[in-house]
Amino acid sequence: DTWKNHPNYSGRTLQNDISVMKFSHPFDMNQYVQTIKMPEARTGEWLPDGETVRTCGWGDLTPNGGK
């Protein structure tokens, strides 16, 4: 398994706190593990204002992992 952090990630500010992970084996799909379609690449823009997106993740929900 491998991963690549965002090239501009800052551990101090957590700006660009995102990575791409590649797994060496498939996952068993179930009610908790499912695929999502990635958006088509667009030239000259990221996402227009008001675009609907879907995200996933894990980790701290508050600064420094506090409750």
Side-chain angles (χ1 to χ4, degrees), residues 10-64:
S10 169
R12 185 176 58 79
T13 66
L14 300 182
Q15 186 172 5
N16 299 308
D17 184 12
I18 189 169
S19 297
V20 174
M21 298 184 295
K22 184 175 183 178
F23 295 91
S24 58
H25 55 83
F27 289 95
D28 292 327
M29 298 294 135
N30 58 45
Q31 67 184 26
Y32 304 108
V33 179
Q34 298 180 13
T35 62
I36 61 171
K37 184 178 180 207
M38 299 300 288
E40 298 289 330
R42 299 181 185 185
T43 303
E45 66 180 350
W46 171 217
L47 289 174
D49 291 343
E51 183 78 15
T52 300
V53 298
R54 185 180 292 184
T55 63
C56 65
W58 56 88
D60 294 341
L61 299 177
T62 58
N64 302 316

